[in-house]
Amino acid sequence: MNLLHGARRNPSAILLVVQLLGVLVYPAMEGSRGGRVAFEILGIVVLTLAVFSVRSTPGLTWVSVCLGIPAVVLSLVDAIRPTEAIVPISGVLHAAFYFYAAYSLLRYMLSDHDVSVDELYATGATFTLVAWGFAYLFVFVQALVPGSFTAAVNPTADRSWMELLFLSFTTLSSTGLSDIVPITSWGRSVVMIEQLAGLGYVAMVVSRLVGLTVAKRRA
């Protein structure tokens, strides 16, 4: 009962934990049809939790539902009967959904000058949502312009979802440790935008929350 109450009070924490668990279990799901279906089911769980988090923020729930349902349907269709035409459409819908969910959590964190526990979890959840969104944007770019990304291993092959997610996290966090490299103009353009988004996020959101937390403790 206490766990359920805590989940309702801190939906951002549940979303963050599930996303981080997804990062750990995604590698075990690659390479097989059953693993791909399981991957999509986990994605549905993340989407559902994101919608629940948006309901607790100033975001519009109907927008997230309208973006999330088609994305889920296309993901399941692609997992059961893969079709090249579905990939770019699914990538755009997923990216739009995650960006909107991140925007809603961002509004939630900036809506007042009080820093709650859930807002601290929302800081991490928003970062991962943006990283997921750009990863799906990379999927879209790769589908439209094959060969947009290369790597040290199998440089001419299409990059897997995990590789593109890894590129997204390293770009957004500005660590620069990724061995996945954009080699087309479109790929580089999206990566540059994500680099700017990562710097802006740290400068605007993280510094603000840290400053408010320190000020509250001093007061």
Side-chain angles (χ1 to χ4, degrees):
M1 192 67 179
N2 291 333
L3 182 61
L4 181 60
H5 180 67
R8 289 178 177 176
R9 289 189 60 186
N10 303 303
S12 300
I14 305 301
L15 175 61
L16 176 60
V17 169
V18 172
Q19 286 180 300
L20 295 180
L21 287 177
V23 171
L24 296 176
V25 301
Y26 279 152
M29 300 178 181
E30 292 183 315
S32 66
R33 177 65 61 82
R36 186 171 176 79
V37 173
F39 167 83
E40 298 300 342
I41 292 175
L42 182 58
I44 291 172
V45 173
V46 174
L47 287 171
T48 303
L49 288 173
V51 172
F52 182 72
S53 296
V54 169
R55 290 184 60 190
S56 301
T57 72
L60 299 177
T61 304
W62 68 268
V63 175
S64 59
V65 171
C66 291
L67 291 172
I69 291 178
V72 168
V73 172
L74 288 177
S75 295
L76 290 176
V77 171
D78 187 47
I80 298 173
R81 303 184 67 176
T83 305
E84 291 186 3
I86 293 178
V87 175
I89 301 174
S90 177
V92 167
L93 287 174
H94 276 87
F97 174 85
Y98 283 112
F99 286 145
Y100 180 75
Y103 163 74
S104 298
L105 286 182
L106 189 61
R107 287 183 59 193
Y108 168 57
M109 289 184 290
L110 301 178
S111 61
D112 54 43
H113 295 287
D114 294 324
V115 181
S116 65
V117 174
D118 190 58
E119 286 184 47
L120 295 176
Y121 285 117
T123 305
T126 303
F127 183 91
T128 52
L129 285 173
V130 174
W132 252 259
F134 273 102
Y136 276 109
L137 205 54
F138 294 155
V139 171
F140 171 74
V141 171
Q142 181 172 256
L144 291 187
V145 187
S148 289
F149 304 95
T150 188
V153 179
N154 297 326
T156 59
D158 286 341
R159 310 277 49 101
S160 67
W161 160 254
M162 196 61 193
E163 288 177 313
L164 295 178
L165 184 62
F166 180 62
L167 172 62
S168 183
F169 266 91
T170 55
T171 301
L172 191 63
S173 60
S174 299
T175 57
L177 300 177
S178 178
D179 60 339
I180 316 299
V181 181
I183 57 175
T184 65
S185 297
W186 286 108
R188 288 171 176 169
S189 294
V190 177
V191 167
M192 285 189 289
I193 292 174
E194 184 172 16
Q195 290 171 334
L196 181 61
L199 289 174
Y201 182 78
V202 172
M204 180 177 65
V205 178
V206 177
S207 60
R208 178 180 182 273
L209 289 179
V210 171
L212 290 175
T213 302
V214 172
K216 183 178 180 180
R217 289 182 178 179
R218 288 180 177 177

